[in-house]
Amino acid sequence: MNITLTLASAALAHAEGGKSGLDALGINAAAFLSQLVTFLVVFVLLWKYFLPVIQRTLEKRQALIREGIENAEKAKRDLAEATSNAERIILDAKRQAQDTIERATKNASQVAQQIEVEARERAEKIGQQQIARIQQEANRARMELSRDVVNLSIDAASKVISRSVDSNDNRRLVEEFVTASDQARNN
Amino acid sequence: MNLWKLPAITIAPEVIIPGTWITNTLLCTWISIICLLVVFFIGTRRRDLVPAGLQNALEWLVEFLQNLVESVAGKERGKRFLPLVATFFIFILFCNLLDVIPGVDTIGIVHLDEAHANAVVNGPLLWGDLSNQIIPWLRPGTTDLNLTLSMALVSVVVTQILGFSMLGFKDQASKYLNFKAIKDKGGMGLVDFLVGVLEIISELGRLISFSFRLFGNIFAGSVLLAVFAYLLPVVANVIFVPFELFVAVIQAFVFAFLTLLFMQVGTTSHSHHDEGEHEVHHEYEGSAVASH
C-alpha cells in the first residue's frame, strides 16, 4: 500500500537526499503565503464587516430587552404607588364617611331630643288650654244651669203662691239662694 | 486483483492545475471561505429583532464566543481579542467540516504512476489496481500544514503585537531578555534571564504545537475515514462521520481557546503577575492565621 504519512518518512527522505523535510510535509513559500493571505482575507472580512453587524444586532436587542425590563419595573413601581395611593384614598374616604355618619347620628339625636321637648311642651300647652276651655265651658254650663234652676224655682214658687214672683227682688233672692246652695255644695 | 485499494495518502498537498501553485487544499480553503461568506451573508442579511433560522444560529455562535472571550479576558480586553479568536474558531470549523462532505478526498484527477503508465481508464469510477491512482481535487484546508502554520504564525505574532501595545515595549521585551534581573539580583538573576530565553523557545514551540495539533487531528480524521471506507464501505462511516464532526468542532475550539489563553497571558505584565502572587500569598497567610 502506498501510504506515506509519517513525519519519520519525511525525515528519512531528507536524510536519503530526496525531497527536503519541509517539501515532504508540503510546506513551501508559495503555498504558505497563499494560505496566509487567504486566512487574512477571512479575518479582515469577519473582523470589519460580519462580526460588527451581528454584534450591533445583539447590542440593539439587548438594549431593547433592557429598556423593556426597565419599563416593566417602572410600571410595577407605578402600579405599587397607585395601589398605595388608592388604599390611602379609600382609607381617608372610609374615615370621612365614618365621621359624617357619627356627626349625622349625633345631629339626628339632638334634633330628635329637641323635637321631643318641643312636642312635650306643645302637648302640655295644648292640655292646659283644653283644661282652661273645659273649665270655661263648665262655668258657662254652671251659670246656665243656675239660671235655669232660678227660672224653674221662680216658676215653681209662683205656682205655689199663685202670684207673680217675677219681681226683681224675688229674682235676686232666688239667685242668692241658688248661689249659696252651689257654694254649699261645692264646699 | 483487489476490488479496490486503499487510496494513496500523502501529507503534502497536490497541485491540481499543472504549472500553477494552486493545490487541492488551497482550492478547498477557498470553497470553505465561499461557504462561510455565503452563510454569514444570508445570516446577517435580515436583522430581525426576533431571530430565526440561520440568523439565530450565527447570533448564538457569536454571543457564545463573546461570552467565552469576556469570561477569560474581561470586557475591555475581550473586545480586542474577539475578532481573531472568533475568526479562528469559525474559519477552522468550516474548513474541518468539509472533511465529511462526500466527494472531498475522493473525486479528482487520475494520475497514473510508472507501474500503471499504460493502463486504460474506463468510466468515472476507478476499480482494482487503479483505484489508488487518484489525486483528489479537494482536500480540507486544515490537512495542509501551510494553512495551520500560517494560522499559528498569525496567532503568535498578534499575541506579541498585543503584548507590546498593551504592556509597552520595555515590559514585554523584559519577558524574553531580562537583563534587569542580572543587574538587580546578580547570580540569581541569571536564572530569570534563562527563563526569558526559555520563553523565546516556547514561543517558537507554540508555532509547531499549534500547527501540528490541528493538522495532525484533521489529517488523521481524513485517513481514518479513508481507511474505514476501504475496510468496511458505507457502514463504518456511519459511526466515524459523526465522530469526525465532533473532532472538527473540538479542534476549532481548542485552537481558538488556546489563542485566547496565550493572548491573555501574553498581555499580562510580569510585575502584575508577581503582585498577584504576593496578594494570594498574603491572603493565604491571613486565612491561616484566622483559622488558628
Side-chain angles (χ1 to χ4, degrees):
Chain A
M1 285 190 287
N2 182 19
I3 303 175
T4 54
L5 66 153
T6 58
L7 295 177
S9 69
L12 191 63
H14 179 58
E16 287 172 350
K19 290 194 291 183
S20 75
L22 289 179
D23 280 343
L25 292 172
I27 298 173
N28 61 69
F32 178 79
L33 285 174
S34 308
Q35 296 283 20
L36 182 63
V37 170
T38 304
F39 174 75
L40 290 176
V41 167
V42 179
F43 174 50
V44 171
L45 279 173
L46 282 177
W47 177 27
K48 291 292 179 189
Y49 182 69
F50 289 115
L51 288 178
V53 166
I54 294 173
Q55 281 178 311
R56 270 199 301 274
T57 310
L58 288 173
E59 281 167 10
K60 195 175 164 187
R61 189 177 302 119
Q62 278 172 355
L64 200 72
I65 291 168
R66 202 178 303 120
E67 192 184 327
I69 290 170
E70 281 170 5
N71 284 342
E73 281 175 357
K74 189 174 176 292
K76 198 175 167 186
R77 279 199 304 272
D78 288 349
L79 180 66
E81 200 178 330
T83 308
S84 156
N85 282 343
E87 281 174 359
R88 203 178 60 241
I89 288 167
I90 289 169
L91 275 177
D92 284 350
K94 275 184 182 171
R95 202 179 305 119
Q96 282 179 3
Q98 193 65 32
D99 288 349
T100 307
I101 290 168
E102 282 174 7
R103 219 167 32 240
T105 309
K106 200 173 168 185
N107 286 345
S109 170
Q110 282 176 348
V111 169
Q113 278 180 350
Q114 196 178 343
I115 289 169
E116 193 181 339
V117 168
E118 283 176 359
R120 198 169 287 134
E121 284 173 355
R122 199 171 166 190
E124 202 172 330
K125 197 175 169 185
I126 290 169
Q128 283 173 354
Q129 282 175 350
Q130 291 301 324
I131 290 166
R133 202 165 70 193
I134 289 165
Q135 280 178 346
Q136 277 180 352
E137 288 292 325
N139 287 337
R140 194 166 53 82
R142 197 175 291 126
M143 290 293 286
E144 280 181 9
L145 188 63
S146 298
R147 211 167 24 248
D148 289 343
V149 168
V150 168
N151 289 334
L152 285 172
S153 298
I154 290 169
D155 287 341
S158 57
K159 278 184 181 171
V160 170
I161 60 178
S162 300
R163 59 177 243 189
S164 177
V165 288
D166 196 19
S167 66
N168 286 334
D169 293 334
N170 292 338
R171 177 169 293 274
R172 187 178 44 82
L173 286 171
V174 171
E175 281 176 358
E176 282 174 4
F177 169 74
V178 170
T179 305
S181 300
D182 281 345
Q183 281 175 347
R185 196 174 58 238
N186 287 337
N187 289 333
Chain B
M1 186 184 79
N2 292 325
L3 190 56
W4 56 70
K5 285 187 164 182
L6 185 66
I9 298 168
T10 53
I11 292 175
E14 293 99 349
V15 173
I16 51 167
I17 303 173
T20 66
W21 39 264
I22 298 172
T23 59
N24 47 11
T25 53
L26 185 61
L27 187 64
C28 201
T29 305
W30 289 344
I31 291 172
S32 304
I33 292 170
I34 291 167
C35 293
L36 188 153
L37 294 181
V38 167
V39 165
F40 269 80
F41 178 75
I42 295 170
T44 55
R45 192 178 45 180
R46 293 176 64 187
R47 296 166 203 173
D48 296 335
L49 278 177
V50 181
L54 196 56
Q55 184 194 353
N56 199 12
L58 287 181
E59 285 182 9
W60 175 84
L61 178 65
V62 171
E63 199 169 17
F64 164 74
L65 290 170
Q66 193 171 335
N67 290 339
L68 176 77
V69 171
E70 286 179 359
S71 68
V72 172
K75 209 163 181 68
E76 278 306 308
R77 286 183 175 192
K79 279 180 187 168
R80 300 183 76 171
F81 296 169
L82 178 67
L84 187 64
V85 174
T87 305
F88 276 138
F89 181 78
I90 295 164
F91 177 63
I92 293 170
L93 184 65
F94 270 81
C95 287
N96 291 352
L97 288 178
L98 279 192
D99 197 14
V100 296
I101 303 285
V104 175
D105 267 335
T106 53
I107 297 175
I109 50 173
V110 179
H111 182 74
L112 299 174
D113 58 15
E114 288 174 5
H116 304 90
N118 297 321
V120 178
V121 177
N122 290 319
L125 299 175
L126 294 180
W127 299 99
D129 290 340
L130 297 180
S131 61
N132 64 349
Q133 301 292 306
I134 192 166
I135 295 175
W137 281 329
L138 298 172
R139 252 180 70 179
T142 39
T143 60
D144 183 354
L145 266 171
N146 292 295
L147 178 62
T148 57
L149 192 60
S150 64
M151 287 194 295
L153 188 69
V154 170
S155 171
V156 171
V157 169
V158 170
T159 301
Q160 291 306 316
I161 290 170
L162 285 171
F164 278 108
S165 70
M166 290 170 81
L167 299 178
F169 182 82
K170 198 176 167 187
D171 204 357
Q172 178 71 358
S174 69
K175 277 186 184 178
Y176 305 109
L177 300 170
N178 199 352
F179 294 114
K180 191 169 176 284
I182 298 175
K183 190 180 163 189
D184 292 347
K185 299 179 188 172
M188 288 304 290
L190 194 61
V191 175
D192 289 349
F193 182 79
L194 288 175
V195 167
V197 174
L198 283 176
E199 282 281 327
I200 296 173
I201 295 168
S202 77
E203 290 291 334
L204 295 173
R206 196 175 294 165
L207 270 178
I208 296 168
S209 70
F210 258 131
S211 50
F212 275 88
R213 183 188 301 111
L214 180 59
F215 163 78
N217 277 289
I218 305 305
F219 186 78
S222 289
V223 172
L224 186 76
L225 289 178
V227 168
F228 274 93
Y230 163 74
L231 293 174
L232 196 60
V234 182
V235 180
N237 284 351
V238 173
I239 299 165
F240 286 108
V241 166
F243 178 70
E244 281 309 310
L245 289 174
F246 173 71
V247 171
V249 176
I250 289 295
Q251 286 307 315
F253 183 78
V254 165
F255 197 101
F257 193 69
L258 284 177
T259 298
L260 171 63
L261 288 182
F262 287 131
M263 279 177 164
Q264 173 64 10
V265 173
T267 53
T268 304
S269 168
H270 265 231
S271 53
H272 235 129
H273 187 64
D274 291 345
E275 280 170 15
E277 278 183 353
H278 281 304
E279 279 170 15
V280 170
H281 189 62
H282 283 308
E283 276 177 16
Y284 174 74
E285 281 181 343
S287 61
V289 169
S291 66
H292 279 300

